[in-house]
Amino acid sequence: MKLLHVMAAFAAMFLMGMFVSSDAQLQMNFYAKSCPKAEKIISDHIEKHIHNGPSLAAPLIRMHFHDCFVRGCDGSVLINSTSGNAEKDAPPNLTLRGFGFVERIKTILEAECPKTVSCADIIALTARDAVVATGGPWWSVPTGRRDGRISNLTEASNNIPPPTSNLTTLQRLFANQGLNLKDLVLLSGAHTIGVSHCSSMNTRLYNFSTTVKQDPALDSEYAANLKANKCKSLNDNTTILEMDPGSRKSFDLSYYRLVLKRRGLFQSDSALTTNSATLKMINDLVNGSEEKFYKAFAKSMEKMGRVKVKTGSAGVIRTVCSVAGS
């Protein structure tokens, strides 16, 4: 009889485990009952304001990317630090924009449904909605992420792929997040919109190595143009550069065409052509349709949005996105 009781207890625990694990997954319309207007509030806010700042789509998708690569997609990139030791204080995040935009959405949602919608979900949804509002692809954003309370500068510096990365580094950092070479190529496609600064690629022009001043993998005509008209010295840290010149407002295949012409802005762009598998992927994209690219990009964005998420009883719902203990 005692054995039967033990077996029954184990069976009950197993069933409870099944329910907990199924409840603790991301799902579409997670807030349907707890905050039914949440996703519409976000999309409406973006529709209302994106036309005043159409360039915000690129920073918001970059924020989502940088958030997911450090402790998973948990909104920790938004946290302020009084000691200057948070993720947003790390070199890769010093040029991030959109923090105030996300916080304003959070304030509206807190008024509608207090302590319900996570900052992590707001980042994921704003990234998608901002890209869509500017004519880019749509992708599914299942929700139910919860927020973290730890935000660390060193972790951000160690996990976010720098623009100076070679393919080995890129592959390792993406693999750490459960992302493969295909995801690397497709997510790099987000460089089709937005801008960067000379500080992200100056070494390619002036100080590439001890033996070569200029990166031989960079098209010489393009390099000469950048030196003459944009990044006029190694010390220029402020001049703005288009990552996809002439097409930075259009979410299209132009970025990949430039990469094949050795005109990708970053070493990490150029690195995609140094591997036969990634090079083939780029050629296949360029020779395919924009619709095919959009579908593939959407799958990789959905995959990235699930990286190491906190769900169920893990994590918290921060009431102020920039405050860890809120």
Side-chain angles (χ1 to χ4, degrees):
M1 184 66 89
K2 187 178 275 189
L3 181 61
L4 284 172
H5 280 301
V6 171
M7 289 175 68
F10 271 118
M13 286 171 66
F14 176 73
L15 285 169
M16 283 176 67
M18 283 178 63
F19 286 125
V20 168
S21 62
S22 63
D23 286 345
Q25 300 300 311
L26 298 184
Q27 58 191 50
M28 296 300 291
N29 303 311
F30 177 83
Y31 299 107
K33 291 181 180 177
S34 59
C35 192
K37 294 181 183 176
E39 294 194 24
K40 190 172 189 307
I41 286 171
I42 293 171
S43 60
D44 284 354
H45 189 82
I46 286 168
E47 281 290 337
K48 185 177 178 181
H49 296 284
I50 198 74
H51 303 294
N52 298 326
S55 64
L56 197 56
L60 288 172
I61 199 170
R62 185 170 175 236
M63 182 188 290
H64 184 29
F65 180 94
H66 285 208
D67 183 43
C68 291
F69 266 64
V70 187
R71 292 184 168 265
C73 314
D74 69 347
S76 54
V77 71
L78 301 169
I79 293 173
N80 288 336
S81 165
T82 51
S83 60
N85 193 41
E87 288 174 35
K88 62 165 61 172
D89 301 307
N93 289 331
L94 293 177
T95 53
L96 274 187
R97 294 191 298 124
F99 294 115
F101 190 81
V102 170
E103 199 71 77
R104 282 191 290 278
I105 292 174
K106 176 63 170 174
T107 301
I108 297 167
L109 287 169
E110 280 300 308
E112 176 76 16
C113 317
K115 299 180 181 179
T116 303
V117 182
S118 70
C119 300
D121 275 342
I122 295 172
I123 293 177
L125 288 162
T126 53
R128 191 270 312 276
D129 290 349
V131 168
V132 170
T134 50
W138 182 93
W139 62 91
S140 297
V141 181
T143 43
R145 295 168 191 79
R146 287 169 66 83
D147 298 323
R149 280 190 163 151
I150 297 171
S151 187
N152 183 277
L153 181 154
T154 304
E155 290 180 353
S157 297
N158 290 342
N159 287 287
I160 297 169
T164 53
S165 300
N166 59 25
L167 193 82
T168 303
T169 301
L170 290 170
Q171 190 169 6
R172 174 176 58 80
L173 292 174
F174 270 68
N176 287 348
Q177 312 305 330
L179 301 169
N180 58 30
L181 284 178
K182 185 176 182 181
D183 300 314
L184 166 61
V185 170
L186 289 164
L187 294 173
S188 295
H191 288 174
T192 185
I193 56 172
V195 297
S196 186
H197 298 83
C198 288
S199 54
S200 297
M201 62 85 59
N202 260 347
T203 54
R204 297 192 79 191
L205 297 174
Y206 297 104
N207 191 27
F208 185 64
S209 72
T210 52
T211 55
V212 182
K213 283 192 174 182
Q214 187 172 296
D215 184 355
L218 185 64
D219 176 72
S220 56
E221 190 179 323
Y222 181 43
N225 183 281
L226 287 171
K227 283 180 174 178
N229 301 305
K230 293 288 185 180
C231 310
K232 297 179 181 179
S233 79
L234 179 61
N235 300 319
D236 184 343
N237 294 319
T238 56
T239 300
I240 291 172
L241 300 170
E242 296 182 1
M243 292 190 286
D244 186 359
S247 180
R248 73 177 178 88
K249 292 182 180 179
S250 302
F251 210 103
D252 54 26
L253 291 162
S254 173
Y255 159 77
Y256 294 113
R257 295 190 187 100
L258 289 175
V259 168
L260 292 177
K261 291 177 182 174
R262 297 167 52 235
R263 293 189 172 204
L265 195 61
F266 309 127
Q267 276 173 260
S268 57
D269 296 325
S270 177
L272 301 178
T273 65
T274 62
N275 173 283
S276 59
T278 52
L279 181 59
K280 183 181 184 305
M281 289 175 204
I282 294 173
N283 277 304
D284 287 346
L285 285 166
V286 166
N287 293 324
S289 66
E290 203 165 85
E291 183 186 3
K292 188 178 178 183
F293 165 49
Y294 277 18
K295 285 182 179 177
F297 178 82
K299 283 186 179 178
S300 285
M301 282 302 300
E302 289 164 23
K303 186 175 174 183
M304 187 190 77
R306 295 178 180 274
V307 167
K308 300 173 186 174
V309 292
K310 296 170 177 65
T311 58
S313 58
V316 297
I317 303 295
R318 300 201 307 271
T319 55
V320 180
C321 291
S322 59
V323 180
S326 64

